[in-house]
Every structure is written in structure tokens, then in C-alpha cells.
Amino acid sequence: MLDGDEAAVSQHRYDERASQEDFEAYAQWLKGAIMRGSYIGLFAEAQCEIIAGAGLLLLEWGPTRGDSNPIRARVVNVWTRPDWRRRGVATDLVKRLLARAEIIGIQAIGLDSTPMSKALYRSLGFEQYLAEMIRRTR
């Protein structure tokens, strides 16, 4: 990804209902994550326009039983322009990110899926896992 691509990713991540504050905060964080190397992002283009994107967030998780690598990954920001859906574009991007994760020795990769994307992720070897819990202080 290039400098400035964080705005495009943020536009894909947030719809028009998102606040400008959320959009700007994410774009600023993403710029730093790209510079630190903790975010790997890919775009697909057609006719000089972005038609799809996907990212891999590298997380310092710590070694766990059976996995001595302290880094885990999370697939994030998978987006395809509506007129390009169901053509395998997002699948190709995610496969490329998974290959990159394998090269750097990451064994555990998570993601959150929508009902529409579950079949895609199952075809790539992802399995349903227990639901996550979260605590917010505000």
C-alpha cells in the first residue's frame, strides 16, 4: 500500500452513516499501522479504479500452546465494489494475504464474517469458532 491509501481503505470500511471522527481516526491509525508493518493491504484495480481491497492485521498475541509464534493475524477490510462481486476478486486478495502470512510463519488467523461471506471463508479453510465477548467502558 502507498501513502494515502489509508483514506481508500477507510472509505471501504465505513459507510455514510459513520461519523467523520471515526473515519479520520481509523485513517490516521491505519497510516501508522502501515508504516510500522503491522498492516498489510492489497487492492485490485480495473481501469485505474479500486474494485476490491483486503487487509491483514498483524497482532502481537504472544506464544500459545502449540504455536510458538507470538504473532497472530486478522483478515480485515475485505471489500468489493458491488458490480465486481461474485467474480473471485476478493477471494484472490484474501488468498494472497494468507500466502503472505504463511511465509512469515503465522499459524493462527482470525476474521469476522458477514452471512454473505461465510461460504468464501469456509472455502479458504476458516472454521466457525466460539463467539467473542467484549467489555466497553463507555
Side-chain angles (χ1 to χ4, degrees):
M1 300 194 90
L2 302 173
D3 189 33
D5 287 345
E6 63 276 356
V9 173
S10 295
Q11 286 174 343
H12 302 158
R13 182 178 178 87
Y14 293 104
D15 64 18
E16 63 278 350
R17 295 170 295 180
S19 73
Q20 187 65 24
E21 180 183 352
D22 287 345
F23 175 87
E24 290 174 5
Y26 191 80
Q28 188 63 32
W29 169 82
L30 185 58
K31 184 175 186 170
I34 291 168
M35 290 173 54
R36 289 187 304 276
S38 60
Y39 185 90
I40 301 166
L42 299 173
F43 288 132
E45 295 182 351
Q47 300 166 347
C48 299
E49 291 185 26
I50 297 171
I51 59 166
L56 190 68
L57 181 59
L58 306 180
L59 306 165
E60 189 168 345
W61 197 265
T64 59
R65 287 183 213 117
D67 185 358
S68 61
N69 188 337
I71 306 297
R72 286 189 175 206
R74 188 162 180 85
V75 174
V76 294
N77 301 326
V78 179
W79 171 86
T80 305
R81 203 170 75 185
D83 57 327
W84 280 87
R85 290 183 181 156
R86 304 268 184 234
R87 299 187 193 191
V89 180
T91 303
D92 181 59
L93 293 176
V94 173
K95 283 180 179 180
R96 290 171 57 196
L97 289 171
L98 296 177
R100 179 86 60 92
E102 188 173 327
I103 289 168
I104 58 179
I106 295 174
Q107 297 177 22
I109 302 170
L111 56 79
D112 189 19
S113 66
T114 64
M116 186 170 63
S117 64
K118 281 193 185 298
L120 160 66
Y121 295 123
R122 280 193 189 107
S123 75
L124 296 174
F126 286 89
E127 300 173 357
Q128 190 65 43
Y129 192 67
L130 300 174
E132 183 177 279
M133 294 178 70
I134 190 167
R135 178 180 181 266
R136 295 187 190 273
T137 57
R138 60 176 178 141

